[in-house]
Amino acid sequence: MLSYITWTANPILFDGFVTVRWYGLMFVIGFLIGYEIVSRMFKHEGMPEKWVGSLFIYVVAATIVGARLGHVFFYNWEYYSQHLDEILSVWEGGLASHGGTLGIILAVWLYSKVVTRKPILWTLDRLVVPVGLVAALIRTGNLLNHEIYGGETTLPWGFRFIGNIGAYMHGYDPVFTNPCHPTQIYEALCYLATFALCMWLYWRRNAQEREGLLFGIFMIGIFASRFFIEYIKCVQEPWELEMRAAWGIDQGQLLSIPFVVIGVWLVVRAMRRPRVALTYPNRFPDEKTSR
């Protein structure tokens, strides 16, 4: 039995007239699958097909902008406050899932006001069903990038990552870490479980008939798992070590707490309210009759 796994995956899938990185490809695959799932859900409930395309645009833009600004303001404002011109340099790396989530919520609020004229929870209950899968694919991209891994471990599935991945990509010899927890895999598995649960609840239990239930379960599944896995994950910024020493938690855990609390409140609220029966025509309405 191996005492550890030496991880030598190349972050770049294709390097020619255009460079294709695994991380970016995971984003694209996730969004495309998510689009298909939401499209089937809207068709299942007889909602206008054009709503899906509009939602896709809102969510893609909000994810990128929100995740970037989340990294800037939640983790590295001291640097970016002195380098404002680099805030938009997304290609250089630096995205935060909490910021992406806040960006999506804000975008869905606007989308609900402008497009659907429905409560924001109506859209969020459907949108979050595939988001767990998207999050798992993004963590897979982190694994392929040799980033966001955990502390040292003696467990047989510990990974030795390339610690100098930037220099390695420019021709230098790899410098491997000691065996570490592959926290990207831990998180990806938790997110896949959340995705599977939300899919089952939507398609088999009609959980969308309880407003806010699916969104609440998603918030608990994603951010509670994130909170606990952070205990064995390396911090993203050095100043978080002082935060851990003083408070016992890091920035990722602190940011996760409100999301979990909101998720619990939404689940309790949804279960206390009566179920609202919906109809399922399983077709998009004709364009001329679409709302």
Side-chain angles (χ1 to χ4, degrees), residues 38-53:
V38 172
S39 179
R40 294 190 180 193
M41 293 164 68
F42 277 33
K43 180 180 179 180
H44 179 59
E45 298 187 41
M47 297 298 111
E49 187 175 11
K50 62 184 179 183
W51 284 8
V52 185

Side-chain angles (χ1 to χ4, degrees), residues 8-214:
T8 59
N10 190 332
I12 295 179
L13 172 62
F14 176 78
D15 192 10
F17 64 94
V18 64
T19 299
V20 179
R21 300 180 68 95
W22 281 108
Y23 185 77
L25 182 62
M26 292 298 105
F27 256 102
V28 172
I29 292 174
F31 279 126
L32 291 178
I33 295 176
Y35 181 94
E36 180 62 24
I37 292 174
V38 172
S39 179
R40 294 190 180 193
M41 293 164 68
F42 277 33
K43 180 180 179 180
H44 179 59
E45 298 187 41
M47 297 298 111
E49 187 175 11
K50 62 184 179 183
W51 284 8
V52 185
S54 298
L55 182 60
F56 181 79
I57 295 172
Y58 275 80
V59 170
V60 170
T63 300
I64 297 173
V65 174
R68 180 58 176 177
L69 293 180
H71 172 74
V72 169
F73 291 111
F74 295 155
Y75 288 97
N76 216 354
W77 176 240
E78 184 176 354
Y79 173 82
Y80 286 106
S81 64
Q82 304 300 317
H83 302 82
L84 297 176
D85 58 309
E86 296 184 28
I87 290 179
L88 299 180
S89 301
V90 179
W91 55 89
E92 294 181 359
L95 300 174
S97 57
H98 297 92
T101 302
L102 290 174
I104 290 172
I105 292 173
L106 179 60
V108 170
W109 172 81
L110 182 61
Y111 168 84
S112 299
K113 292 288 185 180
V114 175
V115 179
T116 68
R117 304 290 200 278
K118 287 180 175 290
I120 183 176
L121 285 176
W122 184 91
T123 305
L124 288 172
D125 277 337
R126 286 135 184 94
L127 175 64
V128 298
V129 172
V131 170
L133 175 61
V134 179
L137 288 170
I138 291 172
R139 281 294 178 254
T140 302
N142 294 137
L143 176 69
L144 291 161
N145 274 352
H146 299 253
E147 61 188 5
I148 314 183
Y149 46 82
E152 295 183 15
T153 180
T154 58
L155 293 171
W157 57 80
F159 274 51
R160 294 174 68 228
F161 293 98
I162 300 177
N164 63 332
I165 189 65
Y168 172 72
M169 297 301 293
H170 286 88
Y172 289 85
D173 292 334
V175 177
F176 288 98
T177 66
N178 291 326
C180 299
H181 284 286
T183 49
Q184 313 97 321
I185 296 177
Y186 301 168
E187 287 191 58
L189 291 175
C190 291
Y191 299 165
L192 283 175
T194 301
F195 164 68
L197 176 60
C198 288
M199 283 285 283
W200 178 75
L201 287 171
Y202 179 88
W203 292 105
R204 299 299 183 186
R205 307 300 296 178
N206 290 338
Q208 64 275 18
E209 296 181 354
R210 294 187 181 276
E211 185 182 74
L213 180 58
L214 284 167

